[in-house]
Amino acid sequence: MPEQRRSLCWISSARYSQPLDAAAARKWQLMAGMPGYEFHVIGFSSSFRPRRFKEHVSFYLLPQPPTSLLRYLVIFSLAPLLLCWLVMRRRAALIVAQSPFEGAIGAAAKAFVRLLGRRPKLIIENHNNFEEDVFLQRSVPLPGMYRRLMLALARFAFRRADALRVISSSTAERARHYAPELPQARFMTFSDTDVFLRMARRLPLDEAVDVVYAGVLIPRKGVDLLLKAFAELDHPRARLHLVGGAENSAYAESLRRAAAELGISERAHFAGAVSQRELAGYFAAARVMVLPSLSEGLGRVVVEAMLLGTPVIGSRVGGIPDMIVDGENGYLVEAGNEAELTAALRRIYAQDVSAMGEKARAFAEDFFSPRKYVAGYRRLFELALGDETGPGMEQARARGSAAGPKEKRP
């Protein structure tokens, strides 16, 4: 007798290409292999052309306009209709929304299809400080009105959710503020960690001299502070590699001007967006990875760098302290504190960091794997559906608990 499969609708503002890039293909290949579920994914196309295709799972991609305002208009006008159609046509048992704002779309669809006799469960994910992060990324017109609308949508979504997925202690706390009675599952965002595990270090850690930052170039990431701290280093052989796309072009240009003014243009390399394999190569030759964020949900690049045995300096914000034990696998600094960041960089160069790198790798290997990621989602789906027979349910039902793997400290 064929296995009965539950249909699941997934909505996010993520952009997908056809064919999928390597990391997305690996993620959805793993998810498609989860027994008992079939996935229908709503997101954005990589162009203005809408797309529908199947690659491991079924994709329904909205046209991507050139500005964020137009993208909001597209997703809030078209996605509810598409989501309702999918729930009814595919008899979906679950809706997964990858932020509280997409959660508002899911909540509206859930209420509408209820009138037609369908009762899907709603999962809302919280990956960051959704109340503040957008204001730290770019200039927002009418910020007061924008904030009120944004929070109203989040409250609307949380009131109608059945379960929550969070990625760190800080995102768990914010989600609990809005939905204190809802059960939570906690596990990291996806990373194709096999890419990093297969990469060998290009230099022994104690011989490496380069610094790597990995992430998009936006004000929230504090990259301007890193440039200033790097300029204070008395280490002429060291290079700073800024790996990530210029999501905020004005900010990225200001960083290039700052590098010139600080006299480090020849040693500050703007690498742009790269593949996971190329990113692993940067980590494999680095002495340290630095994530000087002003706000951060978790920062999966911390784990990715540590898998190459590279210590990490990170801000004491969001989920970063969940991963860095100060002085053991890296250093924690106060967000926005240039003096502390400079001092931490100098300590990295003044000591033999081999033991620190070994502890970093051991922690990362224990903290996350693709297998644990899929297991986390399986427990989350069981939690939302009220499936008492599913594995791990006793732990998952503890309010605010991490239904995913325990996060051990090295």
Side-chain angles (χ1 to χ4, degrees):
M1 183 175 179
E3 178 189 33
Q4 184 178 1
R5 293 170 67 84
R6 284 167 164 159
S7 183
L8 183 152
C9 293
W10 191 292
I11 178 168
S12 79
S13 56
R15 304 168 194 176
Y16 295 100
S17 60
Q18 183 187 14
L20 299 174
D21 65 55
R26 174 64 171 154
K27 169 185 168 177
W28 290 111
Q29 179 185 31
L30 289 165
M31 294 295 283
M34 185 187 300
Y37 295 95
E38 62 178 19
F39 295 84
H40 304 274
V41 179
I42 298 173
F44 277 107
S45 169
S46 57
S47 69
F48 196 68
R49 177 185 171 189
R51 294 181 182 274
R52 177 181 174 181
F53 63 95
K54 185 164 185 177
E55 187 175 342
H56 306 301
V57 301
S58 297
F59 289 90
Y60 305 81
L61 302 183
L62 304 171
Q64 183 193 163
T67 67
S68 58
L69 176 60
L70 289 175
R71 284 193 290 273
Y72 285 133
L73 290 174
V74 166
I75 196 168
F76 277 97
S77 60
L78 299 182
L81 301 174
L82 180 55
L83 182 57
C84 288
W85 178 77
L86 280 171
V87 169
M88 296 303 298
R89 183 175 179 83
R90 303 299 180 185
R91 303 183 67 80
L94 278 169
I95 297 171
V96 179
Q98 288 214 278
S99 83
F101 310 121
E102 285 103 353
I105 296 172
K110 178 184 174 183
F112 180 77
V113 299
R114 186 185 182 95
L115 300 175
L116 302 176
R118 300 298 303 159
R119 295 177 179 271
K121 302 293 186 178
L122 174 62
I123 293 169
I124 294 177
E125 303 199 4
N126 184 26
H127 293 192
N128 55 26
N129 182 353
F130 63 88
E131 299 155 306
E132 300 295 338
D133 279 3
V134 67
F135 302 102
L136 296 172
Q137 290 180 203
R138 61 179 184 272
S139 176
V140 176
L142 302 174
M145 182 184 299
Y146 189 97
R147 186 187 299 274
R148 286 192 294 272
L149 176 60
M150 189 172 64
L151 295 182
L153 289 171
R155 292 188 186 101
F156 174 78
F158 280 120
R159 283 198 299 267
R160 289 156 180 82
D162 298 284
L164 304 175
R165 184 247 172 142
V166 296
I167 63 171
S168 67
S169 56
S170 65
T171 58
E173 181 182 353
R174 295 316 302 152
R176 196 174 296 118
H177 172 77
Y178 285 90
E181 301 305 319
L182 282 185
Q184 296 183 359
R186 175 175 157 191
F187 51 97
M188 195 180 95
T189 50
F190 181 75
S191 170
D192 189 4
T193 51
D194 289 349
V195 172
F196 299 90
L197 290 169
R198 288 194 298 264
M199 177 73 68
R201 281 205 63 90
R202 296 178 176 176
L203 282 173
L205 190 60
D206 59 351
E207 296 178 15
V209 295
D210 287 354
V211 179
V212 173
Y213 160 82
V216 293
L217 301 182
I218 55 176
R220 176 171 64 84
K221 296 291 188 175
V223 189
D224 51 323
L225 189 76
L226 175 56
L227 287 174
K228 294 174 185 176
F230 181 77
E232 294 294 319
L233 278 179
D234 185 19
H235 206 299
R237 289 179 51 230
R239 295 194 73 198
L240 170 62
H241 299 279
L242 303 175
V243 184
E247 190 167 302
N248 184 319
S249 57
Y251 180 68
E253 185 55 37
S254 75
L255 294 177
R256 293 180 184 276
R257 289 196 302 270
E261 292 166 2
L262 292 165
I264 58 171
S265 288
E266 296 300 315
R267 297 193 295 133
H269 171 220
F270 289 79
V274 302
S275 68
Q276 291 290 86
R277 180 172 178 78
E278 290 172 305
L279 178 60
Y282 280 105
F283 290 153
R287 189 176 187 89
V288 65
M289 198 277 281
V290 182
L291 189 63
S293 303
L294 306 179
S295 174
E296 193 73 51
L298 183 72
R300 70 182 180 194
V301 290
V302 172
V303 170
E304 292 168 350
M306 287 183 176
L307 285 171
L308 270 300
T310 303
V312 178
I313 297 172
S315 302
R316 196 177 278 106
V317 297
I320 295 176
D322 292 350
M323 300 177 287
I324 298 176
V325 180
D326 192 45
E328 293 191 28
N329 58 1
Y331 289 111
L332 288 168
V333 299
E334 289 302 317
N337 191 316
E338 180 188 339
E340 282 197 23
L341 181 55
T342 302
L345 278 171
R346 285 173 172 162
R347 285 198 296 273
I348 285 287
Y349 283 93
Q351 68 184 93
D352 183 345
V353 289
S354 300
M356 185 174 279
E358 290 172 4
K359 290 180 180 179
R361 184 177 177 106
F363 170 82
E365 289 177 345
D366 180 70
F367 187 77
F368 178 84
S369 72
R371 177 184 56 80
K372 289 181 178 180
Y373 177 81
V374 174
Y377 265 117
R378 172 169 279 284
R379 285 189 287 269
L380 176 61
F381 298 161
E382 292 164 350
L383 185 64
L385 291 166
D387 186 350
E388 300 291 347
T389 63
M393 290 309 299
E394 181 179 344
Q395 300 93 324
R397 287 195 174 280
R399 193 183 81 187
S401 70
K406 297 290 184 182
E407 293 160 27
K408 298 178 183 177
R409 307 301 282 247

